[in-house]
């Protein structure tokens, strides 16, 4: 076990060397020592190990005493992407800021009860608040997944009262206790198990030059991007991008994208 742990630690340090070469343009011993709490000798050994793999694609700059990638450098340990950079840069303290959102509360004990029910495939009784019943009502549900729609968490579950699979806002569940009998298997959740494709494209009111900007921004091919998702998540996707059927009537510069296969809208079921 200790040997496997050491191998994992070395691999992580080698990956960090590659991240710094790719994203920052250079790497030295100091960053490795500070980030991983290792000795100068270990940092030098890690750099030597990475250089043995990279070969001539990385060179040593004698003036800065740092290693730099050459034009032939290609990462082999990491998969570059915006998400990859943001996660790494935020972790090591580089300049990445996330637009703050209002805090949405959720009781850890409630989550614990729901998580227990999910992992044990059991039902659970909850007290759920809504605008219709602000004091809360008792419901028995069989939860199977958590869903994050970009600004709040939901619990996907079978509602034994409504006899249907529905989403429950996690922060509106006051209690989750009385773990009961076997749950209804999520294989019976048709909307959850049905995969659909939303086709989005630039707003028709944009000029050709503006359309090109949107196509590049959303990684579109031939004027459209295909977004694959579970049918149960479609409503959140449409809400997030204001694809409510009236998007072509809004200012093209503000709306920017439209739903091309509008026939899928009826698949989005509000709770």
């Amino acid at each position: 076990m200790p040997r496997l742990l050491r191998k994992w630690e070395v691999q992580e340090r080698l990956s960090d060397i590659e991240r710094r070469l790719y994203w920052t343009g250079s790497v030295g011993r100091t960053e490795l020592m500070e980030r991983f709490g290792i000795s100068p000798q270990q940092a030098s050994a890690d750099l030597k190990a990475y250089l043995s793999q990279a070969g001539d694609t990385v060179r040593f700059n004698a003036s800065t005493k740092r290693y730099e990638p050459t034009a032939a450098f290609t990462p082999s340990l990491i998969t570059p992407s915006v998400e990859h950079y943001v996660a790494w840069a935020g972790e090591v303290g580089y300049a990445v800021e996330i637009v703050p959102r209002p805090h949405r509360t959720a009781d850890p004990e409630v989550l614990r009860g729901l998580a227990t029910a999910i992992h044990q495939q059991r039902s659970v009784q909850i007290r759920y608040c809504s605008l219709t019943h602000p004091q809360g009502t008792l419901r028995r549900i069989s939860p199977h997944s958590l869903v994050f729609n970009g600004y709040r968490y939901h619990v996907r579950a079978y509602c034994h009262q409504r006899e249907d699979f529905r989403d429950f806002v996690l922060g509106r569940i006051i209690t989750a206790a009385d773990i009961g009998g076997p749950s209804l298997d999520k294989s019976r959740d048709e909307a959850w198990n049905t995969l659909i494709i939303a086709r989005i494209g630039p707003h028709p009111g944009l000029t050709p030059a503006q359309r090109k900007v949107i196509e590049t921004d959303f990684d579109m091919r031939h004027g459209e991007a295909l977004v694959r998702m579970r049918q149960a998540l479609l409503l959140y996707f449409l809400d997030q991008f204001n694809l409510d059927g009236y998007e072509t009537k809004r200012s093209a510069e503000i709306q920017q994208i439209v739903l091309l296969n509008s026939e899928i809208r009826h698949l989005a079921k509000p709770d």
Side-chain angles (χ1 to χ4, degrees):
M1 184 64 71
R3 185 179 178 185
L4 292 176
L5 180 59
R6 286 197 295 273
K7 285 186 177 180
W8 179 87
E9 290 175 342
V10 171
Q11 185 69 16
E12 182 58 26
R13 294 199 298 269
L14 295 183
S15 296
D16 197 71
I17 291 172
E18 186 166 279
R19 291 186 186 97
R20 293 178 187 277
L21 286 168
Y22 187 84
W23 295 118
T24 73
S26 68
V27 66
R29 291 191 311 175
T30 303
E31 298 101 308
L32 297 174
M33 293 162 55
E34 292 178 348
R35 176 157 167 71
F36 297 102
I38 57 178
S39 67
Q41 294 79 9
Q42 183 61 64
S44 295
D46 290 338
L47 284 165
K48 182 179 179 180
Y50 184 82
L51 293 172
S52 68
Q53 302 176 22
D56 295 335
T57 65
V58 177
R59 66 179 180 86
F60 182 71
N61 187 327
S63 62
T64 62
K65 293 183 170 49
R66 296 177 64 79
Y67 293 93
E68 300 173 349
T70 68
F73 175 75
T74 302
S76 60
L77 301 179
I78 66 171
T79 302
S81 67
V82 173
E83 294 80 8
H84 171 268
Y85 174 73
V86 169
W88 174 75
E91 187 177 306
V92 298
Y94 286 146
V96 173
E97 288 291 335
I98 306 297
V99 176
R101 296 181 181 274
H103 176 66
R104 306 299 289 263
T105 185
D107 187 337
E109 284 302 309
V110 167
L111 177 57
R112 182 186 181 191
L114 294 168
T116 298
I118 290 173
H119 287 281
Q120 294 185 6
Q121 297 183 318
R122 308 280 291 279
S123 68
V124 60
Q125 182 170 278
I126 65 171
R127 180 173 291 276
Y128 189 71
C129 293
S130 65
L131 297 181
T132 306
H133 301 284
Q135 301 305 316
T137 58
L138 290 177
R139 300 195 191 188
R140 179 158 292 279
I141 65 172
S142 293
H144 66 68
S145 302
L146 286 184
V147 175
F148 183 61
N149 68 359
Y151 64 96
R152 69 182 182 187
Y153 284 94
H154 295 78
V155 178
R156 184 71 178 177
Y158 180 79
C159 177
H160 293 262
Q161 177 182 336
R162 300 288 184 86
E163 298 185 334
D164 192 16
F165 285 94
R166 308 174 68 85
D167 291 348
F168 297 89
V169 179
L170 183 58
R172 296 182 182 180
I173 301 177
I174 303 174
T175 60
D178 185 28
I179 303 296
S183 67
L184 205 67
D185 192 87
K186 68 178 178 181
S187 63
R188 297 176 62 178
D189 189 346
E190 184 176 351
W192 183 263
N193 294 295
T194 300
L195 300 180
I196 61 174
I197 296 176
R199 296 171 47 235
I200 59 172
H203 192 291
L206 296 174
T207 66
Q210 290 173 327
R211 288 175 61 90
K212 184 64 177 176
V213 171
I214 299 303
E215 289 172 2
T216 301
D217 187 15
F218 284 86
D219 194 25
M220 295 181 180
R221 298 290 186 270
H222 307 295
E224 69 176 28
L226 306 181
V227 185
R228 295 170 173 81
M229 71 192 78
R230 298 182 186 276
Q231 181 184 324
L233 306 183
L234 178 59
L235 179 64
Y236 305 129
F237 174 80
L238 297 179
D239 286 345
Q240 188 173 24
F241 292 99
N242 293 321
L243 302 175
D244 53 8
Y246 300 97
E247 59 263 30
T248 57
K249 298 180 181 179
R250 301 190 186 100
S251 167
E253 287 76 10
I254 294 177
Q255 179 64 37
Q256 300 184 359
I257 65 170
V258 298
L259 183 66
L260 299 178
N261 54 337
S262 58
E263 67 275 7
I264 70 171
R265 280 200 184 91
H266 76 279
L267 299 175
K269 290 173 41 179
D271 284 338

